[in-house]
Amino acid sequence: MQITVKLYGSLCIGRFQSAVREYTDGSTIQTIVTDLGIPSEYLIRLKNGYHAPLEEVLHNNDTVSLLPMLDGG
Amino acid sequence: MRILNQNSVADPSSVVYRRCIVDLEAGTTTQEDVPCRNLEDVLGGFGRSYQILAERKITEAYCPENPLILNTGLLTGSTVMTGLRAYFSSYSPLKQSRKGLPSAMWSAGSGNFGNKLKWSGLDEVIFEKRSATPVYAVFTEGEHGPQIEIKPASHLLGLTGHEKIMALYKEYADAHFAVIGPAGENFDTVYMGAIVLSTDNQLKSGEGKTRFAGRGGMGSMMGYKNLIAIVAQSGDKMGRITPDMRDVNRDVIKNGGSARFQPISQGGHGGTWANIDVLQAFHAVPENNFRPKGDEDVAGLFRPNVEKDFDIQSEACFRCGIRCHNNLYHRNADGSRGAFAAKFDFEPLILFGSNIGINDSRQVAELIHLCDYLGMDAISLGTTISYVLDYNARHPDKPLCDGVTFGQFDQIRELIVKTGRGNVSQVGRGVKRLSEQTGETSYAMHVKGLELPAYLPDTNPAYAFAIAGGHMSMGTHMYLAKEGKTGLDDWVEVITRQGLLQVGYDMIGLCKFVGVGMGHELISRAIGEATGLKVSSEEIVAAVRRAYLRGLALERRQGYDDDDYTLPDQVFESPNPKVNLPAIVTREFFAQMKQRVWAVFKPEMEGLLPE
Ligand code: SF4
């Protein structure tokens, strides 16, 4: 299935900003995070614009956005 | 600080700290050893200073009875990484209840000043009354304990904060400095004066790389007291780093919480600046007075775009491996690095950038630099200016401040200079007072009299429960963007459990960018390793919670009633459809949230203040 993956901030470095990628059926957000070598803690994960857990199962044509989870100070 | 028994929870009085009382009117000083009353006293910072403030009934900030308390945290001056913090507490000239009473406030700063003060032998200084003439105070490590001198400071008047520090550095080579800028000197018309703290990097390079205790007008309090500067002089007494402490510091660096603030080159996300990328994904970056436009105008402030104009260097406070400072340098014609321009953190970047309609990083850098030099709190100034610009956009026929509005760099620049020099009290006294004068309060972005930082109130109803600045004292400003949680239960839980623990860092002497919660074993381990004290995570959390609730109780005593605990009306009346996050903050949601939070807090607040 085809998933649009969008990366933000420093997560783009050495990767990409937006790409359509192939994943097998049953893939989750965790599958993508692992595939891209991104540490899964301190990560904001959106599926089709809504917050979603790492275990969220994806479907063809979904969009997954990954953002670094920052804070102020 | 002397620790006579390592079980401080069972017997806090066995921890004794060294206090100096400076009577600025009489020019006299006294020192005493004070036994701690409770674990809040032991941990220090505002946990201790608020207990002192609570003993006084203060009805106006600028009065001789209002003390300015300078103290440190338990881990300030220790070998725990980021253990550098100094705290300033007082009843604030800026933050006040609707009844007109000043609120207690504290403000924290890094640099190396806190260390030097502690190494001089003092844990706390209470500045009483006010001097008839401008003075500075010198605390020096002496053979038989701390030595204190009060000296004339007229020669420092009118200098910027950076210039004052460099002038003092010529006289005190192994010292660090806390000074005010022109804004603090003009305390009558500027209530948002910051305290400017020196850094090693500044002293070595001669560049204005200062740190700030900015919030709540503590620099204006210094100005009122005619205390122009504080010098803390001592040798470097950083203890030996034991193998266990090395492990603690390695865990500080390695934990994912602090990694977020580390340089990109170090595998981190590059400090708070990176928040702009995250929040822009939701169109939640403040623009034009906290009103995102749903466009991409802020892209000019993204790091890759700024890199086209500036050299960016990750730098740090004294011996800190987190290195969260993003210092910008001009580029010379030949491509080499030029002079220091400014430090880019999320708050000043937005509040002197997109929130006032400026998205050119060179202009933003200049405004940040000006604010720093004049010694004002970037958040209070930026947010008050954005109100002026917004008002003028709405009322071109009867404008404020010569009609300046969004994006007008030269006019805004001039307004900042005039404000910092004490010539525009409308701005210098903050947005609450200004909006009450104009009668248009709905888009004045403050909560409880303190200007909001660069996180939209539309996304953070918990601002109402921050006791000393919206994001410094309630860790919920990114909760909606981070977690996407919209339920009432979630918000009540986050406010009453994790959110309030944010203030713990302003007790123990560490920097928030350590990035773990107060209940994390790393904090308890750091305290144990640095001091020998055995304090469990549960005990730390309980003490921080009491300290926070004491702060809330103190607000109530200073006249804050239920109507003060609110957000700017615009948030309720005109939700911004351009923000791609759930619009959770309705009046109904907010009222229910408050009711449930108070139901948790009020019983626990009983008995926390002296009769
Ligand atoms: S984390 Fe940043 S602000 Fe805190 S001590 Fe380290 S360099 Fe300074």
Side-chain angles (χ1 to χ4, degrees):
Chain A
M1 60 181 178
Q2 292 201 318
I3 305 291
T4 301
V5 182
K6 292 184 175 177
L7 302 177
Y8 291 82
S10 59
L11 300 181
C12 301
I13 297 172
R15 298 189 183 93
F16 52 85
Q17 281 191 322
S18 180
V20 178
R21 295 168 72 91
E22 281 290 337
Y23 288 97
T24 55
D25 285 355
S27 291
T28 62
I29 295 180
Q30 178 71 67
T31 313
I32 297 178
V33 168
T34 308
D35 175 40
L36 296 175
I38 295 172
S40 52
E41 60 165 357
Y42 298 106
L43 199 60
I44 300 174
R45 308 157 305 257
L46 307 178
K47 184 181 116 177
N48 302 330
Y50 293 95
H51 290 77
L54 280 167
E55 315 76 57
E56 182 82 2
V57 176
L58 303 171
H59 300 99
N60 192 32
N61 293 329
D62 277 346
T63 296
V64 170
S65 305
L66 300 174
L67 304 88
M69 186 183 280
L70 286 146
D71 226 318
Chain B
M1 189 166 246
R2 286 182 298 131
I3 297 171
L4 310 172
N5 171 356
Q6 297 188 331
N7 191 349
S8 65
V9 181
D11 181 15
S13 66
S14 65
V15 178
V16 176
Y17 65 92
R18 187 78 173 159
R19 169 192 286 168
C20 172
I21 297 173
V22 179
D23 182 329
L24 287 163
E25 186 179 285
T28 57
T29 64
T30 49
Q31 292 184 49
E32 57 189 347
D33 284 328
V34 186
C36 291
R37 288 165 285 193
N38 46 36
L39 188 53
E40 296 91 293
D41 265 358
V42 175
L43 297 180
F46 95 96
R48 193 191 303 143
S49 64
Y50 264 39
Q51 297 189 70
I52 299 167
L53 292 178
E55 287 163 353
R56 310 214 181 172
K57 293 265 162 56
I58 301 294
T59 55
E60 60 183 299
Y62 292 152
C63 74
E65 294 75 26
N66 186 12
L68 176 67
I69 303 167
L70 157 62
N71 70 9
T72 52
L74 183 58
L75 298 180
T76 305
S78 73
T79 50
V80 182
M81 191 173 288
T82 83
L84 312 156
R85 297 296 245 188
Y87 306 105
F88 297 85
S89 311
S90 189
Y91 284 93
S92 166
L94 188 64
K95 183 184 171 194
Q96 64 167 205
S97 62
R98 289 180 195 219
K99 291 208 171 78
L101 296 173
S103 173
M105 266 298 293
W106 82 86
S107 189
S110 291
N112 204 354
F113 173 79
N115 284 352
K116 289 282 185 178
L117 181 75
K118 197 147 193 186
W119 295 338
S120 79
L122 289 169
D123 300 292
E124 181 171 282
V125 182
I126 304 182
F127 293 100
E128 300 280 10
K129 303 179 186 162
R130 80 184 290 251
S131 170
T133 55
V135 293
Y136 69 98
V138 185
F139 301 96
T140 313
E141 163 199 23
E143 214 174 299
H144 306 291
Q147 310 276 306
I148 298 122
E149 282 180 283
I150 307 297
K151 302 178 101 173
S154 302
H155 62 296
L156 298 172
L157 292 181
L159 300 179
T160 66
H162 172 61
E163 288 166 344
K164 285 188 179 85
I165 287 170
M166 295 315 291
L168 287 165
Y169 182 51
K170 285 192 186 131
E171 276 184 73
Y172 301 95
D174 56 350
H176 270 272
F177 312 94
V179 307
I180 54 174
E185 292 173 27
N186 290 293
F187 61 89
D188 254 341
T189 47
V190 189
Y191 295 170
M192 55 178 72
I195 295 174
V196 189
L197 298 160
S198 60
T199 67
D200 288 83
N201 196 335
Q202 172 194 20
L203 299 181
K204 271 195 209 110
S205 67
E207 295 170 313
K209 297 168 179 170
T210 42
R211 302 293 295 167
F212 297 89
R215 303 252 55 198
M218 295 299 109
S220 300
M221 273 313 296
M222 261 179 83
Y224 163 74
K225 288 183 175 290
N226 241 336
L227 178 64
I228 308 303
I230 307 168
V231 179
Q233 189 175 32
S234 80
D236 183 347
K237 291 197 187 163
M238 188 63 84
R240 197 176 65 83
I241 299 189
T242 62
D244 285 345
M245 184 59 84
R246 194 166 297 125
D247 289 347
V248 166
N249 285 338
R250 187 203 54 216
D251 291 348
V252 167
I253 287 290
K254 293 278 176 219
N255 90 79
S258 82
R260 296 174 290 172
F261 302 106
Q262 293 174 32
I264 291 173
S265 60
Q266 203 167 294
H269 292 310
T272 60
W273 184 356
N275 281 342
I276 191 170
D277 300 64
V278 175
L279 291 175
Q280 179 59 10
F282 302 106
H283 285 143
V285 176
E287 291 180 275
N288 291 13
N289 197 26
F290 294 82
R291 205 67 188 161
K293 298 181 290 174
D295 57 22
E296 300 304 321
D297 284 0
V298 301
L301 303 178
F302 283 18
R303 189 183 181 110
N305 292 327
V306 175
E307 273 170 344
K308 291 174 193 158
D309 290 321
F310 291 102
D311 259 18
I312 303 171
Q313 176 74 25
S314 297
E315 293 176 320
C317 300
F318 183 65
R319 294 187 187 174
C320 178
I322 297 176
R323 296 167 67 223
C324 74
H325 307 181
N326 287 298
N327 286 336
L328 268 59
Y329 294 84
H330 294 288
R331 221 174 260 138
N332 295 325
D334 63 1
S336 61
R337 176 174 294 174
F340 172 67
K343 177 169 166 286
F344 265 24
D345 288 320
F346 181 69
E347 267 80 30
L349 175 64
I350 298 306
L351 296 173
F352 290 119
S354 59
N355 201 43
I356 55 173
I358 292 180
N359 292 297
D360 175 331
S361 59
R362 286 161 301 190
Q363 294 182 338
V364 178
E366 192 171 337
L367 299 183
I368 292 175
H369 195 58
L370 258 183
C371 173
D372 287 356
Y373 265 49
L374 292 163
M376 285 177 279
D377 178 37
I379 295 175
S380 286
L381 180 64
T383 297
T384 305
I385 288 179
S386 68
Y387 174 85
V388 171
L389 310 185
D390 199 351
Y391 180 92
N392 289 347
R394 295 168 193 242
H395 301 286
D397 47 323
K398 46 164 189 158
L400 301 166
C401 306
D402 299 327
V404 55
T405 193
F406 294 114
Q408 295 181 331
F409 170 74
D410 291 328
Q411 293 91 327
I412 292 171
R413 187 186 188 289
E414 196 187 333
L415 182 59
I416 291 174
V417 174
K418 281 187 183 165
T419 303
R421 293 283 173 189
N423 298 319
V424 192
S425 61
Q426 283 175 311
V427 175
R429 289 177 179 165
V431 78
K432 175 177 181 284
R433 290 171 179 84
L434 177 56
S435 65
E436 286 168 357
Q437 278 169 27
T438 63
E440 297 200 8
T441 54
S442 71
Y443 55 96
M445 293 295 154
H446 73 90
V447 169
K448 295 188 283 188
L450 201 60
E451 291 75 14
L452 291 182
Y455 303 91
L456 299 177
D458 317 55
T459 63
N460 184 19
Y463 272 143
F465 288 97
I467 57 171
H471 71 309
M472 307 300 284
S473 57
M474 177 51 67
T476 53
H477 46 288
M478 293 280 278
Y479 184 61
L480 188 62
K482 284 196 298 196
E483 311 277 351
K485 294 282 173 65
T486 58
L488 197 53
D489 289 349
D490 297 317
W491 279 90
V492 172
E493 175 75 11
V494 75
I495 292 168
T496 58
R497 296 283 151 207
Q498 306 97 290
L500 64 90
L501 297 180
Q502 174 102 328
V503 299
Y505 278 105
D506 287 346
M507 298 166 74
I508 60 175
L510 300 186
C511 182
K512 289 182 179 68
F513 296 165
V514 167
V516 297
M518 276 292 117
H520 197 286
E521 58 86 29
L522 185 53
I523 302 293
S524 155
R525 195 148 56 92
I527 290 175
E529 195 51 39
T531 66
L533 289 171
K534 296 178 184 65
V535 195
S536 70
S537 295
E538 293 72 28
E539 288 158 349
I540 294 168
V541 165
V544 171
R545 188 175 177 86
R546 280 193 302 275
Y548 166 84
L549 290 168
R550 188 174 288 116
L552 207 53
L554 202 41
E555 277 186 352
R556 302 300 295 225
R557 203 189 70 186
Q558 291 304 104
Y560 282 87
D561 61 27
D562 203 49
D563 289 343
D564 285 281
Y565 294 84
T566 189
L567 301 174
D569 279 343
Q570 177 181 272
V571 177
F572 303 113
E573 289 166 0
S574 176
N576 185 349
K578 301 285 169 48
V579 178
N580 291 332
L581 281 165
I584 57 171
V585 190
T586 61
R587 286 206 191 274
E588 296 69 33
F589 179 95
F590 191 74
Q592 286 177 37
M593 184 196 82
K594 270 201 325 188
Q595 195 181 34
R596 288 184 50 186
V597 170
W598 283 126
V600 175
F601 282 161
K602 275 191 178 160
E604 291 184 59
M605 285 157 58
E606 301 273 325
L608 286 176
L609 296 182
E611 288 304 312

